[in-house]
Amino acid sequence: MLKIPGYIDGPLVQGTGYLDDPLFWPVHLGTSLRGEDAQRSAFGADWDVAMELYRRLSAESEWPVFSVPLTSGLTIHVVYRNIEGEHGVDYLIHHPAWSTAEVLAVDDGHFMGPGMAWPELLSAARQSATGGVADPDARLLLLFPTLGDALLPDDAATALTTALTALTVIEEPAEVANMLLENQGQWTPAHWSLAGGVCINDGGHSYRNPGNTFALPTDRLLEISNALNGGEATGH
């Protein structure tokens, strides 16, 4: 059984087998596909099959884990936390030198985030990896629910459309990409800035906003900023 230092002692299992199923992606991105139009565009006639997949992903007997290694040595773990009555997806980040993993974002009814700005999401997706989830498109979609960025670049939809085209059977990937960006995360899109070399935001539910009492310590914020940005945090 897998273990993540400091995380809940649940039945963690490798989830990479799900990544080959085109329906996994709209299921995983479900909280950003709000409304009947978005769900119709993403799932089409496959709604019932997708719901069966969701039930497997949410089974309490196994908690699928997807690991995204970064070049810095840190790893982002995406965990389906299948506790009865407390289902959700946790986005954790850990380094072997840390005694416990830190939480980047939580995608559930008591959401916490955002965990990343768009440039960080793109950087994390494109970093090379020899283990875990290595495909850049898969990394982009897997980490997308952590996004909360009020200042998206003009080409954000293009990158997202490319990933959806490669990994899903969605008929209109560009349409769905725009819907995802309009409904990014469960939080209000945050404004990101650079303070003392650390990429921070103004989100009221974010662990990366030093103004929040529950924010991560400054040294952790710096390490995470550098790791997500491929070496050194830059202005947004």
Side-chain angles (χ1 to χ4, degrees), residues 4-158:
I4 298 175
Y7 188 63
I8 306 167
D9 188 20
L12 306 181
V13 297
Q14 291 285 358
T16 49
Y18 287 103
L19 302 184
D20 294 328
D21 188 335
L23 283 177
F24 168 77
W25 301 105
V27 169
H28 180 69
L29 299 166
T31 54
S32 294
L33 293 168
R34 298 191 282 274
E36 292 183 5
D37 289 344
Q39 293 177 4
R40 189 180 302 111
S41 297
F43 294 101
D46 295 320
W47 176 259
D48 290 339
V49 179
M51 290 305 96
E52 176 56 34
L53 173 60
Y54 174 74
R55 283 189 284 272
R56 295 203 309 273
L57 278 166
S58 304
E60 294 165 22
S61 57
E62 292 186 342
W63 299 8
V65 179
F66 307 87
S67 298
V68 179
L70 303 176
T71 54
S72 62
L74 276 71
T75 299
I76 301 171
H77 298 291
V78 181
V79 184
Y80 276 70
R81 173 182 19 89
N82 297 332
I83 300 175
E84 183 178 2
E86 297 181 27
H87 286 76
V89 182
D90 295 327
Y91 292 81
L92 313 168
I93 190 164
H94 182 249
H95 188 278
W98 299 358
S99 61
T100 183
E102 303 287 4
V103 182
L104 268 181
V106 177
D107 189 9
D108 66 8
H110 304 284
F111 61 85
M112 297 296 291
M116 292 190 203
W118 174 262
E120 296 178 322
L121 174 61
L122 205 58
S123 170
R126 292 176 174 175
Q127 292 181 33
S128 60
T130 56
V133 181
D135 178 70
D137 290 328
R139 290 161 70 101
L140 181 67
L141 297 186
L142 195 60
L143 300 178
F144 180 84
T146 68
L147 177 67
D149 195 332
L151 299 174
L152 293 172
D154 293 338
D155 61 352
T158 301

